Amino acid sequence: VAKLEGRALTIEAEPVWVDADPTRLEQIVMNLLSNAVKFTPKGGAIHVEVRREDGEAVLRVADTGEGIAPEFLPLGFDLFAQGDTNFDRPGGGLGVGLTLVRRLVELHGGRVEAASPGLGKGSVFTVRLPALAGEPKRRLQSEEALASGPQKRILIVEDDAGNREIMHIQLGK
């Protein structure tokens, strides 16, 4: 269990391969993790799980945060949809992130679902993508060049501390 800006972060992952654009997969994961950090207060918990289920690669991001009102669940992936329209709320966004997640997942032949037992009871976002039978046979030429190239330093510029920490963890630093 790691700490992420005062929140417990657990990750359970098994290798599952998908035929997908790595940059778009990163956008999906970052949007879901950013939301979990934004809407989970300090002292809360975020759980990330990756596994194979019924021929699909499944990513689940669950949190103990604000949760989602039942009437908002069907609208959560709509463009500009927000559960709380108070612009003074901490971490408020434009309501574009989940729409982007849904569209990117669908472009990769998958689907995404949101669930919550209600306000104040956390939420779970589940992404399902078609899984490959095994590890892909070849790497892209650009990936091989990156893997064999010189080590580089990365400067993370992000005003949200939680997002900075997620990027730091994701980059393996």
Side-chain angles (χ1 to χ4, degrees):
V1 176
K3 284 289 185 186
L4 180 63
E5 289 295 307
R7 297 154 189 89
L9 173 66
T10 57
I11 300 173
E12 290 182 54
E14 64 182 53
V16 183
W17 297 95
V18 295
D19 183 15
D21 180 335
T23 302
R24 302 302 160 238
L25 286 179
E26 181 180 351
Q27 284 180 291
I28 292 166
V29 173
M30 286 299 295
N31 267 293
L32 294 177
L33 282 176
S34 293
N35 281 349
V37 170
K38 272 188 219 177
F39 299 111
T40 301
K42 291 186 179 190
I46 299 168
H47 180 76
V48 179
E49 178 183 12
V50 177
R51 68 182 60 245
R52 175 184 291 273
E53 290 178 5
D54 301 324
E56 295 178 313
V58 178
L59 163 70
R60 278 191 191 87
V61 178
D63 63 62
T64 59
E66 291 183 15
I68 304 168
E71 64 273 9
F72 184 70
L73 268 173
L75 309 172
F77 293 100
D78 292 349
L79 188 58
F80 304 122
Q82 295 182 337
D84 178 359
T85 56
N86 177 1
F87 291 107
D88 293 332
R89 71 182 177 162
L94 297 175
V96 176
L98 290 178
T99 302
L100 176 65
V101 166
R102 180 183 63 193
R103 188 66 186 126
L104 290 175
V105 168
E106 288 173 350
L107 286 170
H108 285 87
R111 63 192 187 283
V112 61
E113 305 153 351
S116 176
L119 290 175
K121 298 180 181 175
S123 58
V124 179
F125 289 86
T126 305
V127 172
R128 296 176 180 278
L129 296 170
L132 297 176
E135 184 175 354
K137 299 292 183 233
R138 64 179 186 87
R139 295 170 75 179
L140 297 175
Q141 196 172 28
S142 61
E143 289 175 331
E144 289 172 0
L146 285 173
S148 65
Q151 294 293 317
K152 299 190 179 187
R153 296 179 75 182
I154 298 172
L155 171 65
I156 298 173
V157 179
E158 169 61 51
D159 61 345
D160 182 89
N163 286 343
R164 256 193 331 270
E165 185 64 22
I166 289 170
M167 287 180 210
H168 185 78
I169 290 168
Q170 189 176 31
L171 293 168
K173 301 292 176 195

